[in-house]
Amino acid sequence: MRSKSCRDRSTLYHHALAMEPTSSDAAYRVAVLEIEDDHWDRAVPLLERAIELDAHNVQALNNLGVYYLRHARPADAAQLL
């Protein structure tokens, strides 16, 4: 079970994304929550959305690149990293 501070952070980030669906940072923050719970299947679309909204979101680019490296997609990772 998540601690209260983690639940508060999750609530905040999900609310931010709901209120501002065009926020790259909000999409990235929710993706990080999914990554922390090892739900990469839900995190990847959020990372892709964050990059779509801001092609210079270095954190999203890095995390998606790591995902690609872990899934034997070095050419895709190289484009991001």
Side-chain angles (χ1 to χ4, degrees):
M1 185 167 136
R2 287 185 179 204
S3 69
K4 181 173 177 8
S5 65
C6 287
R7 285 191 311 269
D8 291 346
R9 187 170 51 117
S10 176
T11 300
L12 174 66
Y13 294 159
H14 280 93
H15 180 72
L17 185 58
M19 298 308 302
E20 190 54 60
T22 60
S23 170
S24 176
D25 189 52
Y28 169 74
R29 298 289 177 189
V30 174
V32 168
L33 294 172
E34 297 295 352
I35 291 166
E36 288 173 354
D37 288 339
D38 202 28
H39 293 279
W40 282 91
D41 58 318
R42 295 193 298 235
V44 168
L46 289 163
L47 292 170
E48 292 171 338
R49 177 69 176 148
I51 294 165
E52 177 185 315
L53 293 167
D54 177 5
H56 302 288
N57 185 329
V58 176
Q59 295 171 308
L61 290 163
N62 183 63
N63 278 278
L64 190 55
V66 167
Y67 172 81
Y68 287 154
L69 285 173
R70 289 182 177 178
H71 288 84
R73 295 174 59 181
D76 293 327
Q79 286 184 300
L80 298 174
L81 301 171

